[in-house]
Amino acid sequence: DQAAPGAHTVAVRFYRRHPSVQLDMPRHALEFVGLCRAAFLHAVEPVHISDAFLQPTLLEDNATGVLRGEVTLTNAGAPLAADDIVTVTAQIADADGVAGLMTYLVTLEEAEKTISLEVPAGAVKRWNAEVPNLYTLTLRVNLKGQPEQVFSQKIGFRRFEVRDGRATLNGEPVKFRGVNHLTFHPEGGMYTPEDWLRQNLLMMKRCNVNAIRTHFFGPRELVDLCDELGLYLLQELPIDWGHTYLHEPVHL
């Protein structure tokens, strides 16, 4: 409700080189020209979640799930009083009901504050390529005087370890049958519509492929589809010819 089609202009400018991307390779100059990824604008209330890192984890018993991480709240409006309480609620649920729910009461007298979250989920349905069980994580932010904000995404509980030289997932040995996957569309270049990506991945699944490795950083839709369809995803580092840059402080 903050924008109307055709009523706004978005200008994009390439203003500096990234320290870890070399744009002198033929494939950058000849194949992938122009804007190549989707973008979106997201409107928020004055007090909002500006950053979040939340990781679903399967504990050592390979049965119990917990969500741990951090959420950063930012106040871009007038300062709050000491008795103004921001309520942050984190809920984990699937079609069978709520698996975990925690509520945090936060005083935000400064412009920004990071809080730690831990949401026990009890006995969970585990995620793997054969049975890609997913839950919905929902974050709600409430403050008197502004509308409730709701953010949600799909998550899965799994535990990957290397034991005695073997890859294991959820305590069981796992074998990767993978292929290299360059996210490239014959007409759209690096812009790959979600329905086209889904078709690609479903064909791979039918050919008994259970893992893909990206050759450059793939779109968000690729990650979500791999979670949904049941594919192990090995993401290449988002740096070009990474061995040259691994020890630079910006990447540590």
Side-chain angles (χ1 to χ4, degrees), residues 53-229:
F53 178 77
L54 299 171
Q55 186 171 7
T57 303
L58 200 62
L59 300 183
E60 292 183 3
D61 63 1
N62 290 309
T64 306
V66 62
L67 179 81
R68 297 190 179 108
E70 294 182 337
V71 167
T72 299
L73 291 168
T74 296
N75 181 10
L80 300 183
D83 58 349
D84 287 330
I85 304 298
V86 183
T87 303
V88 179
T89 303
Q91 175 184 285
I92 302 168
D94 65 359
D96 294 330
V98 176
L101 178 67
M102 291 292 289
T103 298
Y104 298 84
L105 305 179
V106 184
T107 56
L108 190 62
E109 298 178 13
E110 58 268 49
E112 185 175 281
K113 188 173 188 178
T114 298
I115 62 173
S116 297
L117 269 63
E118 181 165 329
V119 185
V124 294
K125 290 172 282 189
R126 300 174 296 182
W127 185 98
N128 59 45
E130 289 73 32
V131 187
N133 291 308
L134 292 176
Y135 291 79
T136 300
L137 165 63
T138 304
L139 294 177
R140 299 178 183 272
V141 179
N142 283 279
L143 174 65
K144 184 179 179 180
Q146 71 174 33
E148 180 183 59
Q149 298 170 82
V150 182
F151 310 89
S152 66
Q153 70 178 72
K154 297 292 185 179
I155 62 172
F157 291 93
R158 61 186 177 186
R159 184 180 183 88
F160 177 77
E161 297 174 295
V162 177
R163 293 183 178 178
D164 301 323
R166 294 198 64 179
T168 65
L169 187 77
N170 305 335
E172 300 293 335
V174 59
K175 183 175 182 178
F176 298 112
R177 301 179 299 275
V179 295
N180 208 33
H181 182 263
L182 277 74
T183 312
F184 179 76
H185 190 275
E187 295 177 350
M190 288 181 70
Y191 170 68
T192 48
E194 184 174 346
D195 58 347
W196 184 85
L197 272 177
R198 179 183 295 272
Q199 181 184 0
N200 273 243
L201 299 179
L202 286 174
M203 286 191 292
M204 294 179 194
K205 291 279 287 187
R206 287 195 290 268
C207 293
N208 207 28
V209 169
N210 71 353
I212 62 173
R213 179 257 186 186
T214 63
H215 191 49
F216 40 76
F217 214 53
R220 174 60 184 267
E221 294 82 2
L222 179 65
V223 179
D224 293 337
L225 286 170
C226 286
D227 285 346
E228 173 193 340
L229 300 176

